[in-house]
Each structure stands twice: as structure tokens, then as C-alpha cells.
Amino acid sequence: DIQMTQSPSSLSASIGDRVTITCRASQGISNSLAWYQQKPGKAPNLLLSAASRFESGVPSRFSGSGSGTDYTLTISSLQPEDFATYYCQQYYSIPWTFGQGTKVEIK
Amino acid sequence: EMQLVESGGSLVQPGGSLRLSCAASGFAFKTYEMNWVRQAPGMGLEWVAYMTTSGTTIHYADSVKGRFTISRDNAKNLLYLQMNSLRAADTAVYYCARDRRAIDGAFDIWGQGTMVTVSS
């Protein structure tokens, strides 16, 4: 199984801050990586796929990058609606696996 | 509007059974692979099961293999998860999620989730 390790597990940031979340796979996943945002009591929402491809309606302040085993989600200027938990997921091979999540909180 | 709506979650005793349903609308359900994903209270996301469009390929997480069965009725736009021999560790919100495998494999549509509680 491919293990996905996200860091940090939580962070505190202020409105307007630049935030970076990293996700490391235990083996290469050829950019087969998605990022999801989840707010309390809600289902996850797909933000990015193929490591850097935007979903329709996702604000341009979100961006993704990476290759091989190391991937990054960046929020260029944190907005109030961005406080949530973020998960990476590899869909390169079964079993599909998620990172443990990064909770972004208000400082 | 493309939508998935889960139902069937409830309180069940350890060792019991439950069948979850996921109703799809607003898209061609029969052309999409589907998944079940769960989330225990306060925890992260765990993939549970996957099924191809016609059901010819099915995969399960090791944690549920032999106890859970995924199935679908393409004529009724329904996805199912039959859960047997339930354990306390199966307590979670269960989501169905559309798999965009023809494009990349990300899960692009999720239901609102249905809560399963396994407790005596």
C-alpha cells in the first residue's frame, strides 16, 4: 500500500497569510494526486487533481505542485472561508489512500 | 445538478448488518466508477470500496474485506454497501463518491454522508 504523509497536521494562520501544506507518498505516484477541502459536518470537496489541475470554481489563490513522491498545496492569501481541513489522496494504485489531514485554523 | 444522496445509516449492535444506499442524479451514473469512503468521528478519510461501471472489477480495503459488499443497480442509479459482522471500529460517516477514472481518478462528487454507529 502507498502511505501518504501530510505535514503539518495542523497550523494556525492569519487572513492574508501564505500557507503551504505538503504531502509525501511512500513511492512515486506519477502526479496521481488530489487535494480535498473539508469543512466541519460537510463532505470533502475536490480542489485539485493531477497534482495541479484546478476544479471549476476553485479560487486561483489555491495552487498545487510536485512530482514523484512530493507534492504541495499552497494558498497564496488565506481567506476566512479557507479555514478547514485539507486532505491529499493518491489514486495511482489500489488501495486509494488519503493523508491524515491538515487542519488550518485561525491565529 | 449532479448529486449523490446516501441513506441507510443507523445504530446497530456489534455483529449486526446494515445496507447503505447511494442515489445518483444529474449525471450518467452507469458510466462512472464509484467508491465508498468513511470517516470515523474526529478522524481522517478512509477509502472502503470501489466498483467499476459494470461491476466486473471490485476492490475492498483490508479492514472490510470479507464483511462488506459493494454493488450497484445502473437501471435505478443506485450504489449499495452491504455491511455484515459490524464492529465498533466501523462506526463512521459513510460517503459515496464518484470516481472520475476516465479523466484522472479523483473523487469529484460526494454525497452528504450517512452515519453508522456500531454499539451495544
Side-chain angles (χ1 to χ4, degrees), chain A residues 55-92:
Chain A
E55 287 302 294
S56 174
V58 172
S60 58
R61 62 181 178 272
F62 289 90
S63 64
S65 64
S67 63
T69 60
D70 295 326
Y71 299 87
T72 299
L73 174 69
T74 299
I75 309 172
S76 60
S77 177
L78 199 64
Q79 297 303 301
E81 60 268 32
D82 301 335
F83 292 95
T85 301
Y86 294 84
Y87 294 93
C88 62
Q89 179 224 353
Q90 67 81 19
Y91 48 85
Y92 180 75

Side-chain angles (χ1 to χ4, degrees), chain A residues 1 32 34 36 38 41-46 48-50 53 55 87 89 91-92 94-100, chain B residues 35 37 39 43-47 50 59-62 95 99-101 103-108 110-113:
Chain A
D1 298 3
S32 297
Y36 301 89
Q38 186 179 35
K42 300 295 186 182
N45 180 53
L46 177 63
L48 299 162
S49 63
R53 182 190 300 149
E55 287 302 294
Y87 294 93
Q89 179 224 353
Y91 48 85
Y92 180 75
I94 284 270
W96 321 132
T97 46
F98 293 86
Q100 77 278 19
Chain B
N35 294 272
V37 177
Q39 186 170 36
M43 303 297 284
L45 300 168
E46 180 189 16
W47 168 78
Y50 163 85
H59 293 288
Y60 297 99
D62 286 345
Y95 298 101
D99 191 316
R100 202 169 60 185
R101 198 133 305 269
I103 298 175
D104 53 24
F107 298 176
D108 65 342
W110 297 64
Q112 86 288 352

